[in-house]
Amino acid sequence: MTVLLVPAACVTVARVVEPDRSFWLLLEGFTPVGLVLYGVALVVLVARLVVVRRWWTWVAAGAALAGLLAHVWWFAPQVAGATAPPAAGAEPLVVMTANISHGESDAAELVELARDDRVDLLVVEEITPDDLAVLDRAGLADLLPHRVGEPLPDSDGTMVFARRELRAEAPLATTHEGWVLGMGDLTVVAAHPQAPTAVADWHADHARLLAAATEHDADLVVGDLNATTDHAPLRALADAGYRDAGELANDGWQPTWPSSARWTLLGPVPALAQIDHVLVGPRLAAIGQHVVTIPGSDHRAVVAVVARK
């Protein structure tokens, strides 16, 4: 039981206490995994109680049940909850965010994925000049002719592509490039905050992101946010009215990272943390969301369908 309950307890502590250390912040991103750990442990312990009723088994089973209930409570909004429907006749908008790992992913495949999903607004993080050239050769300029941002030679580049005209309103003063922009009557924040491996920068970037979203009364906050809905910065965004589209649509847990075999010597590991998001503001309804794999990237792309309420 130790192999199940100890890591499960660590995840729970990270979610409840959120120690201000990189390890614990990274661990908190895997909070939904606690459901599996506690669930398996509880099944094994109950089976054991049928055969041997020892006091420590009762204590362990009680702890597993308490942990399971806490994680069910945290996970429940992903699959259950009322949300306002779109207005009658409201035109759907398909929004996609994709971190393409500064030159390591198949950028041409991203264009095909965007075409297949009929994407209207695409936010691309970690885009380099070479990536942009590949994207344009694959037809992105024809598919989504309007753009904001510039490619950069490392992981800092963030660009936005759209079917409709875009208006760049202000850059985000975050570690990686980000933008506040307009598209028709919508205000969009395209963001890529620092990862929690640099804790102070992570906090500062998310404070700037929250301030920009609220100051500009954004309708969408889109990008690799390097945080899950269990982290305090995304809980703060939710309190300000910016909710994950998949959560609002009750589409369940859709982890996006890590999504690459290079993360392990034993082969590919499944994505276990949902750090890429389409957050919708109070004026929009979420219709649905799914994730797609980009060959070579350590992130899955998120595709969300939203519409005016």
Side-chain angles (χ1 to χ4, degrees):
M1 286 302 95
T2 301
V3 73
L4 293 172
L5 289 179
V6 169
C10 288
V11 172
T12 305
V13 168
R15 175 62 171 80
V16 173
V17 180
E18 199 168 64
D20 204 22
R21 296 290 185 273
S22 179
F23 170 80
W24 292 100
L25 291 171
L26 289 168
L27 186 62
E28 187 179 4
F30 302 102
T31 296
V33 177
L35 278 170
V36 177
L37 298 175
Y38 282 122
V40 173
L42 185 60
V43 169
V44 173
L45 287 165
V46 169
R48 185 164 188 151
L49 281 170
V50 173
V51 180
V52 181
R53 298 187 179 184
R54 294 181 177 176
W55 68 269
W56 64 266
T57 309
W58 284 102
V59 171
L65 178 60
L68 180 63
L69 291 175
H71 283 259
V72 167
W73 177 262
W74 294 327
F75 183 79
Q78 302 283 351
V79 294
T83 181
E91 181 182 358
L93 178 74
V94 182
V95 183
M96 184 179 196
T97 177
N99 183 319
I100 57 174
S101 301
H102 51 91
E104 296 187 15
S105 67
D106 187 343
E109 180 64 19
L110 175 60
V111 178
E112 292 305 310
L113 294 170
R115 182 176 289 113
D116 291 344
D117 275 309
R118 299 181 179 179
V119 169
D120 299 299
L121 176 69
L122 170 64
V123 178
V124 182
E125 303 86 38
E126 300 193 14
I127 182 170
T128 68
D130 288 343
D131 290 325
L132 181 59
V134 172
L135 290 168
D136 281 340
R137 283 197 300 270
L140 184 63
D142 296 324
L143 182 68
L144 302 171
H146 303 284
R147 58 187 61 183
V148 165
E150 296 292 336
L152 295 173
D154 49 27
S155 61
D156 290 337
T158 300
M159 292 189 69
V160 185
F161 305 87
R163 292 186 189 276
R164 289 183 272 171
E165 186 175 355
L166 297 172
R167 305 180 308 278
E169 296 184 1
L172 284 180
T174 48
T175 303
H176 306 300
E177 191 175 41
W179 300 94
V180 179
L181 53 100
M183 185 179 72
D185 60 350
L186 296 177
T187 300
V188 180
V189 176
H192 183 198
Q194 173 63 44
T197 48
V199 176
D201 291 339
W202 183 73
H203 283 299
D205 279 0
H206 274 285
R208 296 182 184 109
L209 174 58
L210 177 60
T214 54
E215 177 185 347
H216 293 275
D217 199 17
D219 297 288
L220 289 162
V221 178
V222 185
D224 170 9
L225 302 187
N226 273 314
T228 74
T229 53
D230 289 297
H231 283 111
L234 257 64
R235 300 202 303 271
L237 278 163
D239 290 341
Y242 299 98
R243 298 277 304 281
D244 183 85
E247 182 178 284
L248 284 176
N250 294 328
D251 278 338
W253 184 46
Q254 298 180 12
T256 61
W257 179 91
S259 180
S260 174
R262 64 192 171 95
W263 286 86
T264 172
L265 296 175
L266 302 177
V269 295
L272 294 172
Q274 186 178 355
I275 62 175
D276 302 85
H277 300 272
V278 175
L279 305 182
V280 298
R283 291 185 290 270
L284 294 179
I287 298 172
Q289 179 178 289
H290 65 276
V291 296
V292 293
T293 298
I294 307 170
S297 177
D298 59 346
H299 291 250
R300 291 174 177 172
V302 175
V303 181
V305 183
V306 303
R308 283 286 190 184
K309 289 182 180 176

